[in-house]
Amino acid sequence: MAASLSSLTASFSSLSFSSYISHKPNALSLVRTESPTRVSKLKFTSLAVTATVIDSPAEPETADLRKYVKTRLPGGFAAQTITGTGRRKSAIARVVLQEGTGKFIINYRDAKEYLQGNPLWLQYIKVPLITLGYENSYDVFVKAEGGGLSGQAQAITLGIARALLKVSEDHRKPLRQEGLLTRDSRVVERKKVGLKKARKAPQYSKR
């Protein structure tokens, strides 16, 4: 009987203790933390950006070449003595030769730039000078108009060959043997009425 009483008192004491804890459900210790919105100050260094506008190098180079040509050809192309005119398709090239180091200037521009670096066209305009061994003996000044670059290159070749005849009549034979004095008269044939092109006809239909 005494054991049962002691067990009841122990249970009551435990109940009273648990009720004491349950009376303070919010008694929790919270650690104060800094606000997340707080951002540390950062030091930014100011950068000064300066921009300079550079002119296109092609314009002053063309202007310099124009002045150079005028100094080399006083009085213009018409006042020179060693000249030649070449034609190909619809292209016309007026050529002036002067003693120099082998420069080629076409329409006040370097030949490599004007002919877009095409090795075939650049080699083609040098053929008359190479044939006679003058590739480093004359400077060539050209005014070309009409047609495309291919036609102009072939017109320049004929113009140089004709100008070399004014240097010496002895140049005629080697230039003639290479076919450099013959004007190539081939042009595009015109389109015909009823045909798709000059000679191409539409497909024939019997019925």
Side-chain angles (χ1 to χ4, degrees):
M1 187 71 179
S4 61
L5 288 173
S6 61
S7 62
L8 286 172
T9 54
S11 62
F12 280 123
S13 64
S14 65
L15 286 173
S16 63
F17 180 72
S18 63
S19 63
Y20 172 72
I21 293 176
S22 64
H23 283 311
K24 296 181 180 180
N26 297 327
L28 299 175
S29 61
L30 299 175
V31 180
R32 184 178 180 181
T33 59
E34 295 184 359
S35 175
T37 58
R38 190 174 179 183
V39 180
S40 60
K41 294 182 179 180
L42 300 176
K43 295 181 180 179
F44 294 97
T45 57
S46 60
L47 298 175
V49 179
T50 58
T52 57
V53 179
I54 301 175
D55 295 333
S56 176
E59 295 180 358
E61 186 177 341
T62 304
D64 294 341
L65 282 177
R66 188 178 292 271
K67 292 180 181 178
Y68 173 73
V69 172
K70 287 183 177 180
T71 56
R72 291 291 304 273
L73 306 178
F77 279 68
Q80 308 308 311
T81 56
I82 307 177
T83 61
T85 302
R87 294 179 178 86
R88 174 74 174 97
K89 297 180 183 178
S90 59
I92 302 174
R94 287 179 291 170
V95 179
V96 173
L97 297 183
Q98 278 200 351
E99 292 185 0
T101 58
K103 290 183 179 178
F104 276 80
I105 297 177
I106 306 173
N107 291 346
Y108 306 107
R109 292 165 62 185
D110 183 67
K112 187 174 182 179
E113 177 193 352
Y114 186 82
L115 297 177
Q116 301 177 356
N118 189 304
L120 179 63
W121 297 339
L122 290 171
Q123 183 66 23
Y124 205 81
I125 62 177
K126 297 178 182 179
V127 169
L129 296 175
I130 294 174
T131 301
L132 300 175
Y134 290 155
E135 57 268 21
N136 296 323
S137 301
Y138 286 95
D139 290 340
V140 182
F141 302 92
V142 182
K143 273 189 177 180
E145 60 184 4
L149 294 180
S150 176
Q152 288 183 2
Q154 297 177 53
I156 292 170
T157 302
L158 180 59
I160 294 174
R162 289 178 173 177
L164 287 170
L165 291 181
K166 295 184 179 181
V167 176
S168 175
E169 191 63 27
D170 296 335
H171 297 156
R172 181 177 297 275
K173 186 175 181 180
L175 291 174
R176 178 68 69 184
Q177 288 177 350
E178 296 295 329
L180 298 173
L181 295 176
T182 304
R183 202 276 203 207
D184 191 349
S185 60
R186 295 176 298 172
V187 294
V188 177
E189 189 176 344
R190 67 174 290 271
K191 181 185 179 300
K192 308 317 189 290
V193 177
L195 302 183
K196 291 187 174 181
K197 294 169 65 176
R199 301 188 182 188
K200 182 180 180 181
Q203 184 178 4
Y204 172 73
S205 178
K206 190 171 183 179
R207 293 180 180 85

